[in-house]
Amino acid sequence: FPVTIEILGVDVGITDTISDSRGNRTSDKIHPHGWTMSSVLQNIQRKKRGSKGFKRAQSLRDNFTGWAVNQLNLDGVKELKLENIKHMKRGKSVDRFRGSWSYPLIFDRLKRRAEEQNVSVTLVNPRNTSRTCSSCEAVDVRSRKGKSFKCVTCGHTEDSDLNAAQNIKRASVLHSQRGVCSPSSKNE
């Protein structure tokens, strides 16, 4: 029988930590202790920086990130496509909630998981991945309203993160390396 090389597009976010092009989201699964990334970030936001409670909350964020990455099923996947979103917060003023979100940590964990499974990681241009319809490929900022995506051109309706994951899967390649993905590294 023919061997299929599956490409998996992954969208990373706060509400759905990981959404993939197969239609899986971490928000569909329940963390053993009931945490979500939003609740973890709210916990960090309430703590005083540098305190023991703040460090425990950061540790909880790291543990939740590990759990979320482990929920990603890489069976049959040969290539993992991710957005190249390094320096997303550079030069911008963000609130403590979004400032506590550590996307490089998520990418590092995804990179490690891909290395363990011998899956190559490809970084793609993030431009318009959340504004493009995965059905008709029309780009319009009005199509996305929070967590819902409804194309103003063709009427296609889908969860915005799953729509973005489909677009990431289909996106053109910036560069590819076996099991390597580090948006925070300087040597790219």
Side-chain angles (χ1 to χ4, degrees):
F1 59 94
V3 177
T4 58
I5 298 175
E6 185 172 351
I7 298 171
L8 187 66
V10 173
D11 183 54
V12 175
I14 293 176
T15 306
D16 289 326
T17 308
I18 297 175
S19 302
D20 69 31
S21 56
R22 292 178 179 165
N24 301 313
R25 300 177 299 192
T26 52
S27 63
D28 294 338
K29 298 174 177 95
I30 299 172
H31 185 268
H33 300 292
W35 291 102
T36 63
M37 183 58 89
S38 293
S39 63
V40 168
L41 295 179
Q42 287 171 355
N43 191 15
I44 292 173
Q45 181 183 9
R46 288 190 302 263
K47 306 297 181 190
K48 182 178 178 183
R49 290 189 190 270
S51 69
K52 288 181 183 178
F54 184 77
K55 290 175 183 164
R56 280 193 305 269
Q58 284 183 315
S59 177
L60 175 62
R61 179 197 58 203
D62 298 351
N63 290 336
F64 181 84
T65 300
W67 173 84
V69 169
N70 287 335
Q71 301 307 304
L72 184 64
N73 183 1
L74 294 177
D75 293 342
V77 175
K78 296 296 177 195
E79 182 181 2
L80 188 65
K81 283 191 172 183
L82 304 167
E83 292 174 297
N84 187 24
I85 57 172
K86 64 181 182 176
H87 311 304
M88 185 173 76
K89 296 184 261 185
R90 179 188 288 171
K92 296 180 182 174
S93 176
V94 294
D95 58 19
R96 283 188 65 179
F97 180 79
R98 284 177 189 77
S100 300
W101 182 60
S102 179
Y103 66 93
L105 174 67
I106 297 169
F107 285 111
D108 288 342
R109 297 279 173 96
L110 283 168
K111 176 196 74 157
R112 239 184 295 150
R113 180 91 193 282
E115 286 174 355
E116 292 168 1
Q117 304 264 336
N118 201 28
V119 173
S120 65
V121 174
T122 304
L123 300 176
V124 300
N125 187 345
R127 184 179 176 120
N128 292 328
T129 55
S130 62
R131 297 176 181 174
T132 303
C133 178
S134 61
S135 181
C136 72
E137 298 187 20
V139 179
D140 196 319
V141 70
R142 297 174 296 163
S143 295
R144 179 164 183 175
K145 301 267 194 266
K147 286 288 297 155
S148 64
F149 183 92
K150 183 172 189 224
C151 181
V152 295
T153 304
C154 73
H156 173 73
T157 305
E158 190 173 18
D159 177 85
S160 60
D161 292 330
L162 297 178
N163 181 67
Q166 287 293 333
N167 292 328
I168 292 166
K169 178 181 177 179
R170 206 176 44 233
S172 59
V173 176
L174 286 177
H175 60 305
S176 175
Q177 296 175 334
R178 168 91 34 221
V180 174
C181 160
S182 184
S184 61
S185 68
K186 305 277 189 228
N187 57 2
E188 293 183 45

